Amino acid sequence: MTGTRPPLVGARVARVEDRRYTTGAGRYLDDLEPAGTLHLRLVRSPVASGRITSVELSSWDPPPEGTLLFTGADLDPDLGIRADIDTPTAQPCLQPALARDVVRFSGEPVAAVLHPDQYAAEDAAECVDVDFDSLEAIVTIEQALAPDAPLVHDGWRDNAYVRRRRSFGDLSAARARAARTVRLVLRTNRQAGVPLENRGCLAVPDERGRGVTLWTSTQIPHLVRTYVAAQLGLAENDLRVVAPDVGGGFGVKGHVFVEEVLVPWLALRTGRPVKWVEDRREHLLASIHARDHLHVVEAYVGGDGHVEGLRAQLVVDAGAYSVFPWTSGSDSGMAAKVLLGPYDIQDYEVEDIAVATHKCPLGTYRGVGRPSAVFTMERLMDEVARQLDLDPFAVRRRNIVREFPYRTATGPVLDSGSYAQSLDAVEEALAEELKDPRRGSGDRPIGVGLSLYNEQTAHGTPDFTVRGVPIETGYESVALSVDPQGTVTLATGMQSHGQSMETTLAQVVAGELGVPLEHVRVDHGDTAGTPYTVGTWGSRGAVLGGGAAARAARRVREKLLGIAAHNLDVQAADLDIADGVVHVVADPARRLEVRDIAYWANRRTDRLPPGVEPGLAATVFLDGPERGTYSNACHGAVVEVDRATGKVRIQRYVVVEDCGVMINPTVVEGQIYGGVAQGIGSALLEEFVYGDDGQPLSSTFMDYLMPSSADVPLIEVRHLESPSPWTEYGMKGMGEAGAIGPMAAIANAVADALGVPVHETPLRMQRVWELATGSARRWAHDDWADLPGLSGFWTTGEQNERP
Amino acid sequence: MNVLLTVNGERHELDIEPRRLLGDVLRRDLGLFGVHFGCEHGVCGACTVSMDGRTVRSCLVYAVQAEGHEIETVEHLDRDGDLHPVQQAFSEKHGLQCGFCTPAFVLAAKGLLERHPDPDETLIREELAGNICRCTGYVGIVEAVRLAAERMRAAEARR
């Protein structure tokens, strides 16, 4: 690792950004509305699959005066979202900014109306008559893969965006070593991140006639800028993208949306600012969905519980279009890459398939493919324990990686970790509950469940290159400058929407530079004046953003000391900086204020050493370790299940986590609490249900249930520290981690309480009641492995597509 | 339609369509952007304001219905420059991350503590279950409310 920890790194510093949020002075997208704004309201398809026969303003119900209508016919046919996968089996598609001839999911934008009054724009949208010929909707994985299934995309061979198969090690040998085969089918149903602030964007044409500014509630300003500029035929330096305060992202806002293409197009076309803010119904229908995995696995297991080898078929229902920049293959591809988790398994064969259906496109949500992958592996571990009559902790101990670095079967290297210690800590924390006689018995049995996992974070360019998708890298960058007054600005294109970066990055800079925290300001989310960067996602803000900030601060510190040394007539090595003052270590009375040096560097350049250029600034780009750095955690859940109603109450939730060195433990804990709460929602409450005709049935918060304060217990967190040898200070990412473990831990706890296996999430009351009464849906390996679209993997030998 | 709204102690004469939501008028017409819309169907609570000392969802109230009532938004709390104990406690206990639900939680917590000065954890969780937070997992929020309660009781005792 580089860099010893300076002061403030590791400190529980109170957040500097709180004042504006607690007093109502935060400014989010919908708060912006320049004079002359036209409000955009989208007319969205009411059917899941259909051919559009006409779109027009109603003659019998005329819209408000001043309404403008645009349809797909008004736009260039190539305008929209394209995210193709560079691999032989992949099939490309385009989501048009407005549907042209066909619609492919209920909620897809079909027409755009503009009006100066927001309420009138909604009225106008209802005055648009759209006629469809309804077509058969593909709604399930089985339907999508059926032979002769209607195609979601014309011209495709079948309904698979991509199908990739990889083999590692020697599965035949693993099978030969094993004492038994354990077969499982696991289903994690469709959910989404659902940030509390809906999506929105505002495009303002430059009054001076050149270019446009796009304000958007996004996590990825630079990526939006590059894509949208290309789409609109704009010079990229004529497009500025700014994220104001953003009310939560969770990966949902880490995509480029058709609306972000359409809105600036309309602004340039009309010459007026154009603003679009979705309502919650639109968000639930048509933003980004997540999870929706079906895993069919076969594990070869020794008599002692060691998993010798694993064969897995990972299918994801990726909806109607491929999302930018991750593509429809993101979830299944990631799950395939990281499925083996913290376990020492080298013999592995996996096929990942992303299928197209007439549903909302599937994209990235906190954890991405990992929550479903961990659900599978952790249910597998418990199932192995059950079949062999072993303790679940013991089975995991039999399988975990213990020595680092460890090269995983799929390539990435585990740098360090505390898997064994985290298991011990959770077992100790739940010692009483593990012995509770109410475990598994009575009308309201107690259950204890655990999940163990690791998380690949801050991955570097090579991890992206192998994917062949439009996100080719994952580096972060910062621009640091010190002005004549001595105040410090750190500008970055990352966007902090809850990650507390205005505080954590300031801690790093203040600590490295030796100036008071209050003198450091972090500006984020604006492409103007910031070096290119990928934005905030993928658990890398602290590692790469913080790492870049540390390096930039050290460069500036070096220059400061050089100027001070010149003016004090000493060597730089004789000096130190603390609290905004540079002093001679051996004689602290000999000192200079940082603000004086800053003034000289910017203005009194006669004070600079010969050959030193003016200014006090540094820009740093930092890429991650080749295949990332791995944090880890063990979650333990204690539940009480009401057999009569299916209600699950979480009595205790324990997290033992290890993200290496932390900048701010309070911030880390906050991220864990929030992630676990979302994971509890994933485990028990949240589900997007579709009717047989593809109609979304979860279109409001009455149907899509999120955890409230009454659903989430006090989450107990304990930290371990296994620094990474490859990152600044030894930091590891952990932003997504909390959301990765709960589905598995809670499912294992419910299985423990009821004494029956669990195959499907979320464990809503109806499902739990069915489990308790023995009427649960059967999830049998053969039912799936025999399906025409899936059987090829199970009946043919090992094939390498891309080693 | 002409209405007289009393918001944060100030009277405003407005000419507004009857169908406009209270939250929309507070934001667009009066510039009180601390009111946020998260769902516009009365579930998430992000639009919470106080009406005559009780919390209401401003997405379920028409602005014209607010005539004759006293509306308070989060902006009123630090009018003298000092943070209300609830606001201070939310910051100290890391009860917010993205901030979108925060004005609503501050008002809901303030209302709760005015009715129950010494609530236990269960009561706090039940009373605040009408406000959704997607970021914090409610841990910091519950701790903030307990800290604010303690300080507000102490301040009351000193009076």
Side-chain angles (χ1 to χ4, degrees):
Chain A
M1 81 190 90
T2 34
T4 51
R5 272 170 259 190
L8 289 182
V9 171
R12 292 180 180 273
V13 172
R15 282 194 359 153
V16 309
E17 48 262 75
D18 284 350
R19 176 126 199 165
R20 69 181 187 271
Y21 295 129
T22 57
T23 59
R27 288 294 175 263
Y28 302 86
L29 195 289
D30 192 34
D31 303 335
L32 308 170
E33 196 161 309
T37 292
L38 291 173
H39 288 271
L40 166 65
R41 179 73 175 174
L42 289 166
V43 178
R44 294 180 179 274
S45 171
V47 303
S49 176
R51 211 157 276 290
I52 302 171
T53 52
S54 73
V55 186
E56 57 199 18
L57 286 171
S58 167
S59 53
W60 61 269
D61 182 15
E65 198 181 307
T67 299
L68 298 174
L69 171 72
F70 292 88
T71 68
D74 296 311
L75 308 176
D76 187 304
D78 288 330
L79 203 71
I81 298 297
R82 179 182 293 285
D84 296 332
I85 307 168
D86 180 16
T87 199
T89 65
Q91 304 188 87
C93 65
L94 169 78
Q95 179 179 0
L98 291 172
R100 288 176 68 85
D101 306 306
V102 295
V103 291
R104 295 189 173 90
F105 69 100
S106 179
E108 180 170 0
V110 174
V113 290
L114 295 175
H115 197 281
D117 180 279
Q118 187 190 17
Y119 279 55
E122 283 193 43
D123 293 337
E126 288 176 28
C127 299
V128 175
D129 289 340
V130 188
D131 281 333
F132 296 94
D133 286 338
S134 263
L135 299 171
E136 186 184 337
I138 300 293
V139 184
T140 66
I141 290 172
E142 305 94 285
Q143 287 170 354
L145 292 174
D148 304 323
L151 294 175
V152 175
H153 289 283
D154 301 329
W156 280 20
R157 297 182 297 273
D158 55 20
N159 284 318
Y161 286 98
V162 69
R163 189 187 282 262
R164 294 171 288 215
R165 185 169 179 171
R166 280 164 276 218
S167 258
F168 309 92
D170 185 344
L171 209 57
S172 312
R175 212 173 353 226
R177 288 196 301 273
R180 65 166 58 212
T181 300
V182 176
R183 294 189 175 88
L184 285 177
V185 179
L186 293 313
R187 183 86 175 92
T188 47
N189 283 298
R190 188 168 263 244
Q191 299 171 335
V194 192
L196 201 60
E197 184 207 13
N198 288 310
R199 297 173 305 157
C201 57
L202 163 68
V204 185
D206 189 332
E207 285 174 355
R208 297 167 298 178
R210 181 174 171 176
V212 63
T213 297
L214 178 64
W215 297 80
T216 179
S217 189
T218 186
Q219 301 170 227
I220 53 172
H222 283 95
L223 300 185
V224 171
R225 187 187 76 186
T226 305
Y227 189 85
V228 171
Q231 278 284 303
L232 300 182
L234 278 177
E236 192 169 348
N237 59 3
D238 276 343
L239 177 62
R240 174 183 175 195
V241 176
V242 189
D245 283 329
V246 172
F250 312 117
V252 176
K253 294 175 180 173
H255 299 79
V256 183
F257 293 105
V258 287
E259 292 90 350
E260 288 169 315
V261 174
L262 183 63
V263 165
W265 186 91
L266 289 168
L268 289 170
R269 177 71 169 247
T270 60
R272 306 261 299 265
V274 173
K275 177 174 170 181
W276 169 75
V277 178
E278 66 181 352
D279 64 26
R280 182 55 65 181
R281 188 176 157 273
E282 291 179 89
H283 181 87
L284 294 176
L285 258 51
S287 58
I288 287 296
H289 287 180
R291 313 292 183 247
D292 216 349
H293 288 224
L294 172 80
H295 292 182
V296 188
V297 306
E298 192 171 90
Y300 311 118
V301 185
D304 59 353
H306 185 250
V307 177
E308 301 292 332
L310 187 70
R311 219 167 162 205
Q313 188 172 48
L314 312 177
V315 188
V316 172
D317 180 343
Y321 294 106
S322 184
V323 299
F324 186 92
W326 313 101
T327 78
S328 50
S330 167
D331 254 59
S332 63
M334 182 187 292
K337 178 178 64 169
V338 302
L339 181 65
L340 302 175
Y343 299 115
D344 179 18
I345 303 167
Q346 290 288 331
D347 303 307
Y348 172 49
E349 189 182 7
V350 61
E351 179 179 54
D352 79 278
I353 310 168
V355 301
T357 58
H358 290 112
K359 297 199 277 213
C360 180
L362 199 99
T364 55
Y365 161 38
R366 203 170 196 173
V368 192
R370 283 161 291 196
S372 301
V374 169
F375 179 67
T376 289
M377 283 309 281
E378 294 307 286
R379 283 296 308 132
L380 174 65
M381 289 296 157
D382 267 27
E383 184 60 16
V384 168
R386 188 185 72 80
Q387 289 193 18
L388 296 177
D389 200 23
L390 295 171
D391 173 72
F393 285 90
V395 170
R396 286 165 176 82
R397 289 188 177 107
R398 190 66 193 78
N399 283 285
I400 52 173
V401 170
R402 290 178 183 273
E403 285 184 20
F404 302 90
Y406 174 91
R407 177 166 291 280
T408 64
T410 55
V413 177
L414 309 181
D415 46 349
S416 62
S418 50
Y419 310 149
Q421 300 93 303
S422 67
L423 278 171
D424 294 344
V426 169
E427 190 173 28
E428 188 192 308
L430 299 181
E432 289 304 310
E433 286 87 352
L434 286 165
K435 291 184 308 213
D436 193 321
R438 289 172 298 159
R439 248 182 106 183
S441 72
D443 292 332
R444 302 170 79 108
I446 302 291
V448 182
L450 73 137
S451 67
L452 182 75
Y453 64 91
N454 57 12
E455 182 193 357
Q456 183 191 29
T457 70
H459 5 317
T461 295
D463 195 273
F464 295 92
T465 308
V466 296
R467 305 183 200 182
V469 300
I471 181 74
E472 312 97 332
T473 184
Y475 68 81
E476 303 287 8
S477 67
V478 301
L480 181 71
S481 59
V482 186
D483 53 46
Q485 197 184 84
T487 55
V488 181
T489 305
L490 185 84
T492 177
M494 294 190 293
Q495 208 286 336
S496 184
H497 41 281
Q499 294 87 348
S500 312
M501 283 191 233
E502 291 173 34
T503 305
T504 56
L505 297 184
Q507 284 176 253
V508 170
V509 170
E512 292 283 357
L513 268 185
V515 301
L517 186 74
E518 313 80 70
H519 292 188
V520 180
R521 174 188 167 128
V522 177
D523 288 336
H524 56 93
D526 190 344
T527 60
T530 54
Y532 204 86
T533 194
V534 295
T536 304
W537 47 266
S539 300
R540 61 194 54 231
V543 178
L544 301 184
R551 286 171 197 215
R554 285 198 292 265
R555 278 189 211 167
V556 167
R557 178 192 173 96
E558 193 183 318
K559 186 164 183 177
L560 263 171
L561 292 179
I563 298 168
H566 175 73
N567 283 272
L568 287 171
D569 199 22
V570 297
Q571 300 296 309
D574 301 331
L575 298 170
D576 194 12
I577 320 180
D579 222 30
V581 176
V582 179
H583 60 274
V584 178
V585 175
D587 183 9
R590 296 181 65 202
R591 43 180 274 162
L592 291 169
E593 304 259 351
V594 166
R595 64 163 176 258
D596 291 333
I597 303 169
Y599 191 87
W600 298 338
N602 286 289
R603 296 288 292 269
R604 287 296 306 274
T605 48
D606 58 306
R607 293 279 209 156
L608 294 179
V612 171
E613 59 187 39
L616 202 53
T619 294
V620 173
F621 297 81
L622 184 61
D623 201 355
E626 201 177 287
R627 300 300 295 271
T629 173
Y630 279 79
S631 57
N632 62 270
C634 185
H635 289 203
V638 180
V639 304
E640 180 199 74
V641 180
D642 186 331
R643 299 185 70 100
T645 63
K647 175 91 180 164
V648 177
R649 260 180 201 82
I650 304 175
Q651 297 198 326
R652 272 187 85 189
Y653 202 94
V654 172
V655 175
V656 177
E657 73 86 40
D658 186 341
C659 60
V661 172
M662 298 181 276
I663 299 174
N664 187 323
T666 301
V667 167
V668 168
E669 286 154 14
Q671 290 287 297
I672 296 170
Y673 300 146
V676 167
Q678 288 183 307
I680 289 172
S682 282
L684 295 176
L685 296 171
E686 298 177 40
E687 185 173 357
F688 280 109
V689 180
Y690 283 79
D692 294 338
D693 54 357
Q695 280 302 307
L697 301 178
S698 324
S699 60
T700 72
F701 282 163
M702 304 297 281
D703 307 298
Y704 192 87
L705 305 173
M706 293 188 298
S708 74
S709 51
D711 299 308
V712 181
L714 208 67
I715 300 156
E716 303 163 51
V717 176
R718 212 183 112 187
H719 301 289
L720 301 174
E721 188 183 291
S722 306
S724 172
W726 302 328
T727 67
E728 190 65 51
Y729 310 139
M731 296 187 283
K732 298 178 176 180
M734 53 66 60
E736 296 167 87
I740 294 174
M743 274 201 293
I746 292 169
N748 283 340
V750 170
D752 185 57
L754 295 179
V756 297
V758 170
H759 298 273
E760 185 177 9
T761 62
L763 288 162
R764 301 170 71 182
M765 290 171 67
Q766 174 73 24
R767 277 199 188 103
V768 176
W769 182 85
E770 287 168 2
L771 287 166
T773 54
S775 53
R777 175 179 177 165
R778 185 169 169 269
W779 288 96
H781 193 273
D782 294 341
D783 291 345
W784 297 94
D786 289 345
L787 282 186
L790 300 181
S791 60
F793 176 71
W794 298 100
T795 56
T796 62
E798 295 168 20
Q799 290 166 26
N800 282 341
E801 186 189 74
R802 196 190 280 250
Chain B
M1 185 171 162
N2 288 309
V3 288
L4 180 66
L5 296 187
T6 307
V7 181
N8 295 336
E10 289 180 7
R11 293 152 69 83
H12 299 273
E13 284 183 24
L14 299 168
D15 181 13
I16 51 182
E17 284 183 70
R19 64 175 179 163
R20 288 191 66 211
L21 303 175
L22 174 60
D24 270 327
V25 170
L26 291 172
R27 287 169 51 76
R28 290 266 89 86
D29 296 57
L30 300 181
L32 296 165
F33 292 112
V35 178
H36 299 145
F37 283 131
C39 73
E40 289 173 275
H41 52 270
V43 177
C44 77
C47 65
T48 299
V49 299
S50 286
M51 186 186 278
D52 300 330
R54 300 180 59 194
T55 51
V56 299
R57 291 161 167 4
S58 66
C59 73
L60 295 181
V61 177
Y62 292 117
V64 296
Q65 288 178 283
E67 187 173 59
H69 298 279
E70 308 245 341
I71 305 295
E72 185 184 48
T73 69
V74 76
E75 287 87 346
H76 199 226
L77 269 51
D78 71 322
R79 60 192 174 282
D80 298 327
D82 299 322
L83 293 177
H84 186 279
V86 169
Q87 291 168 314
Q88 180 66 30
F90 263 74
S91 183
E92 284 181 42
K93 289 296 182 181
H94 196 34
L96 64 146
Q97 292 179 25
C98 83
F100 199 73
C101 73
T102 305
F105 264 102
V106 166
L107 289 172
K110 174 172 175 283
L112 159 63
L113 294 177
E114 282 162 3
R115 286 175 287 115
H116 300 282
D118 193 6
D120 63 12
E121 184 183 333
T122 304
L123 187 65
I124 293 172
R125 288 182 176 282
E126 282 172 12
E127 289 280 319
L128 293 183
N131 287 70
I132 299 294
C133 173
R134 205 55 174 155
C135 292
T136 66
Y138 308 103
V139 176
I141 291 175
V142 170
E143 292 182 6
V145 175
R146 299 187 83 153
L147 177 62
E150 200 181 293
R151 289 180 174 164
M152 286 166 70
R153 285 196 307 274
E156 187 64 32
R158 284 193 296 271
R159 288 216 270 132

